[in-house]
Amino acid sequence: MKYRSKLVFLCILVSFLPLSVMGFFCYNQTIKLLRARELSSLESTVTSVSDSLDSKISIYQNLLSYLANSNVLAQFSSYNDANAYDQYEYLNYTMDVFLNATYLQHPEIRQITIYNADGPMTHGKQLRPISDLEGERWYAPYKISTQPTWYKKKDGSLLIIQYLCEPYLTYIRSYSKNYIAIQLNADLFFGDLDRVADNFHIQIDSPSQTLFSYKSDSILENASDFRKWVTRNDLVDSSGWNVTLERPEKMIFASVRQMGRIIIAILFFCVVVIFLITQLFTSFFEQKISALHYYLQRIKEGHLNYHIHDDSKDELGDLTNNLQAMIDEINRLIREDYQTKIELKKTQFKALQAQINPHFLYNCLSLINNKALMNDRPEISQMSQLLSVFYRTTLNKGKSETLLQNEIKNVTSYIDIQRLLHDNIFDVMYQIDPNLPEIEVPNLLLQPLVENSIIHGILPNKTKRGQLFVTVTNVMGQIYFTIMDNGVGIPQEKLSTLLTTDSSGYGLKNVHDRLILAYGEGSGLTINSIPGQSTMITFKVPV
């Protein structure tokens, strides 16, 4: 990612994270409060309906109890066996007058009816035989009691009914087999529930049947869309009715979903604003960074003739101005030292090239090898072949790095040359891992170390036959090198300075410095020596 992209991402992340956390919290809390409010409103509605019904029911139940216990109506059964005149006088001037007064006080009552079980006497709709009730599906004698009970008739009207009292007999209230019932218009009785039931399904159930059920038009029109309903129930204390209020969850939480969409829209708007502000904010920094990056790329390519300056007092301004100071210093150093050294190196290199012509050398060695073979001089042929291998791996086409296998060829050819030169006065033992990886190492690492062991260790020791050990092993991703001899050793006072000062004839510091330059601290030479007995040089390079 580019710096600007990282800065934009960081700014958006830092701002969006708290915004999303707070937005998520507010969204959940708002939705929770709205849902609680809607459910509380639903429960409040069903409680209100229940209380309203309880009040109405109490009025009519009290009225029915009053009528059932009135002496005027309780004595009608005694007229079943009276003569026609007495019956007429009682029915028209006593019972009708009493009931008409009740109608005047309660105009919502459709009909008050006494059902006669003691005789055949009837009087319009106000006195009927019990057989009139036998056509009702709910009717059974055991369903009538001394307390008011509610039923719904086939014509849809409400009926509240109970036993009629007998006349008082010495302070004991008894009930006859006659019934008294008040018939009410159900639409008037439940009429106000239609307004309550907007977007509701409301149902009133008595212990034995459903008395009222209503669904609003909006629910009926979209019934197929409503799969989940929220239901609340409440019991009417005075009658045992169960009030059920249902509403589609989709309708209840419509406002909740609307508020959720508004909150999400606000959060999205905030994210867009944050993104735009971040773009404007980062473009200012990106311009400076891009300019600085451009100059650094040009400097990397070697163009050191730029002059840059930033008037800003912030860190970027200081960095830009310090970069210019660094460029000026580099230019000064180049002028004073670098160019001079480069020219010197070029001159030295050309001199070496003039002295050593690899092709000429190889051709000469090849000619010597051929002449030696033609004249049956194998030792001369062997020497020419070893010199060819040695110089080819040493020169390495002018490269500073070579394959590990070529480095090993170089040192083995050098050792063989030294053995031929000194009439095999020392033995050599190799322990070289056959499965070494094909890696590149700095050129001429082993030859100076072997040369040091032969020239300064083995040859000066005239008391015993020389032994040279060369070990190259691969252990856990590290190539370990060991050069050991049984020569004269190195005095302790000289050993401590071999790797810190230039010493002609040894070349150890050169190899040590090149190893540290290539592989870092810890990869240099380790020298252990016992004066008069042996010297061991070790180092390692990573695979």
Side-chain angles (χ1 to χ4, degrees):
M1 293 176 65
K2 293 185 177 181
Y3 176 78
R4 179 176 181 178
S5 300
K6 293 179 181 178
L7 191 60
V8 170
F9 176 76
L10 181 62
C11 291
I12 291 178
L13 180 63
V14 169
S15 55
F16 180 72
L17 186 60
L19 178 65
S20 59
V21 171
M22 186 170 65
F24 181 75
F25 175 77
C26 292
Y27 175 82
N28 279 342
Q29 291 299 312
T30 302
I31 297 303
K32 188 183 295 183
L33 289 174
L34 289 174
R35 289 175 67 93
R37 188 191 69 180
E38 293 294 337
L39 294 176
S40 177
S41 175
L42 191 63
E43 291 186 358
S44 177
T45 301
V46 73
T47 302
S48 175
V49 170
S50 177
D51 292 342
S52 175
L53 288 175
D54 188 59
S55 176
K56 287 185 177 182
I57 291 169
S58 296
I59 292 173
Y60 294 114
Q61 288 188 161
N62 291 335
L63 176 60
L64 184 63
S65 295
Y66 166 73
L67 295 176
N69 289 279
S70 66
N71 290 326
V72 174
L73 299 181
Q75 61 182 338
F76 96 91
S77 60
S78 62
Y79 287 92
N80 275 311
D81 298 325
N83 57 52
Y85 177 79
D86 291 337
Q87 288 181 353
Y88 176 83
E89 185 178 45
Y90 169 75
L91 293 173
N92 288 277
Y93 297 105
T94 303
M95 188 177 71
D96 283 354
V97 171
F98 179 76
L99 294 178
N100 288 335
T102 303
Y103 287 134
L104 291 175
Q105 294 175 0
H106 299 279
E108 71 276 10
I109 295 176
R110 176 185 291 182
Q111 182 64 47
I112 299 175
T113 304
I114 298 173
Y115 292 94
N116 189 0
D118 294 332
M121 183 174 62
T122 61
H123 180 61
K125 292 184 178 180
Q126 297 182 156
L127 182 60
R128 302 299 303 166
I130 286 181
S131 58
D132 285 5
L133 293 176
E134 292 175 355
E136 298 291 338
R137 287 173 295 187
W138 55 266
Y139 174 72
Y142 64 87
K143 292 186 177 181
I144 312 298
S145 69
T146 60
Q147 299 297 323
T149 307
W150 294 79
Y151 294 103
K152 185 177 182 180
K153 297 184 68 177
K154 287 190 295 184
D155 60 5
S157 62
L158 284 178
L159 192 71
I160 177 172
I161 189 170
Q162 74 167 72
Y163 280 117
L164 189 64
C165 291
E166 291 281 8
Y168 281 95
L169 299 174
T170 61
Y171 306 107
I172 298 176
R173 173 64 67 185
S174 61
Y175 292 89
S176 65
K177 296 180 182 180
N178 304 312
Y179 308 147
I180 182 169
I182 297 177
Q183 188 175 347
L184 300 172
N185 188 322
D187 293 336
L188 293 177
F189 187 84
F190 297 114
D192 54 346
L193 298 183
D194 296 351
R195 295 187 296 274
V196 172
D198 185 27
N199 293 330
F200 285 96
H201 170 215
I202 187 168
Q203 184 168 306
I204 314 296
D205 296 297
S206 71
S208 59
Q209 62 182 144
T210 298
L211 302 178
F212 178 78
S213 181
Y214 174 79
K215 287 185 179 179
S216 61
D217 294 337
S218 57
I219 292 180
L220 293 173
E221 292 171 359
N222 304 284
S224 59
D225 297 336
F226 304 138
R227 294 180 180 151
K228 291 185 178 180
W229 295 71
V230 177
T231 305
R232 290 295 181 270
N233 300 88
D234 195 19
L235 198 64
V236 181
D237 296 334
S238 60
S239 62
W241 292 1
N242 183 53
V243 180
T244 302
L245 200 61
E246 289 184 318
R247 194 177 183 192
E249 188 178 273
K250 185 176 182 181
M251 285 187 171
I252 292 179
F253 301 130
S255 60
V256 176
R257 288 190 293 271
Q258 180 66 22
M259 181 58 68
R261 286 191 287 267
I262 292 174
I263 293 175
I264 292 174
I266 292 173
L267 289 176
F268 178 76
F269 175 76
C270 292
V271 170
V272 172
V273 170
I274 289 173
F275 179 77
L276 294 177
I277 293 175
T278 301
Q279 290 288 344
L280 295 174
F281 175 73
T282 55
S283 62
F284 172 74
F285 294 98
E286 191 265 342
Q287 290 176 0
K288 288 189 173 184
I289 296 294
S290 295
L292 189 60
H293 179 262
Y294 171 77
Y295 289 128
L296 286 172
Q297 288 295 111
R298 301 295 289 170
I299 292 169
K300 179 181 177 182
E301 295 169 1
H303 303 282
L304 301 177
N305 55 349
Y306 285 103
H307 181 77
I308 56 178
H309 179 73
D310 195 333
D311 294 326
S312 299
K313 303 300 181 182
D314 56 12
E315 289 80 357
L316 286 177
D318 291 341
L319 181 61
T320 302
N321 296 328
N322 289 336
L323 177 62
Q324 181 59 47
M326 183 185 70
I327 294 173
D328 295 339
E329 182 67 15
I330 290 174
N331 286 327
R332 185 185 68 80
L333 293 173
I334 289 175
R335 287 192 300 271
E336 293 181 0
D337 187 60
Y338 186 63
Q339 292 292 350
T340 302
K341 290 184 178 180
I342 288 178
E343 293 300 326
L344 179 61
K345 292 293 183 182
K346 288 182 178 179
T347 303
Q348 293 174 345
F349 183 69
K350 288 179 180 179
L352 289 174
Q353 282 184 325
Q355 294 173 5
I356 302 175
N357 189 322
H359 293 289
F360 174 75
L361 177 63
Y362 297 154
N363 290 336
C364 291
L365 292 173
S366 177
L367 179 61
I368 292 171
N369 179 47
N370 291 332
K371 292 291 184 182
L373 292 174
M374 292 172 63
N375 292 279
D376 195 22
R377 301 298 299 270
E379 68 280 1
I380 298 175
S381 174
Q382 182 182 8
M383 176 64 78
S384 65
Q385 290 178 14
L386 290 173
L387 285 171
S388 177
V389 173
F390 175 72
Y391 279 108
R392 185 174 68 252
T393 54
T394 299
L395 295 175
N396 194 32
K397 298 181 180 180
K399 299 179 181 179
S400 62
E401 292 186 343
T402 185
L403 289 175
L404 176 59
Q405 287 76 5
N406 290 338
E407 180 66 14
I408 294 173
K409 288 180 182 178
N410 176 266
V411 74
T412 55
S413 63
Y414 176 77
I415 292 172
D416 290 340
I417 291 171
Q418 288 290 354
R419 294 186 71 210
L420 288 174
L421 287 175
H422 297 94
D423 295 327
N424 294 321
I425 65 172
F426 66 92
D427 298 322
V428 59
M429 295 183 64
Y430 296 103
Q431 185 179 357
I432 299 175
D433 191 337
N435 297 317
L436 292 174
E438 294 186 0
I439 62 171
E440 290 190 340
V441 296
N443 197 18
L444 291 178
L445 287 180
L446 296 174
Q447 187 273 333
L449 307 182
V450 170
E451 180 181 355
N452 182 77
S453 293
I454 294 173
I455 303 300
H456 300 287
I458 293 175
L459 294 182
N461 188 3
K462 305 298 183 180
T463 62
K464 56 184 176 181
R465 183 171 178 79
Q467 297 286 338
L468 179 66
F469 300 90
V470 179
T471 302
V472 184
T473 58
N474 181 7
V475 180
M476 296 181 67
Q478 300 279 345
I479 306 298
Y480 288 85
F481 299 84
T482 302
I483 308 296
M484 188 171 71
D485 64 79
N486 65 341
V488 296
I490 302 173
Q492 189 64 37
E493 62 274 9
K494 185 178 289 186
L495 183 64
S496 60
T497 62
L498 283 177
L499 301 180
T500 57
T501 59
D502 291 319
S503 176
S504 60
Y506 285 88
L508 299 179
K509 184 177 184 300
N510 176 274
V511 176
H512 179 73
D513 292 343
R514 286 192 294 132
L515 283 170
I516 292 177
L517 183 64
Y519 302 109
E521 295 293 335
S523 297
L525 298 178
T526 300
I527 304 176
N528 295 290
S529 182
I530 302 175
Q533 294 188 27
S534 65
T535 300
M536 183 173 68
I537 303 174
T538 60
F539 67 93
K540 62 182 179 180
V541 300
V543 174

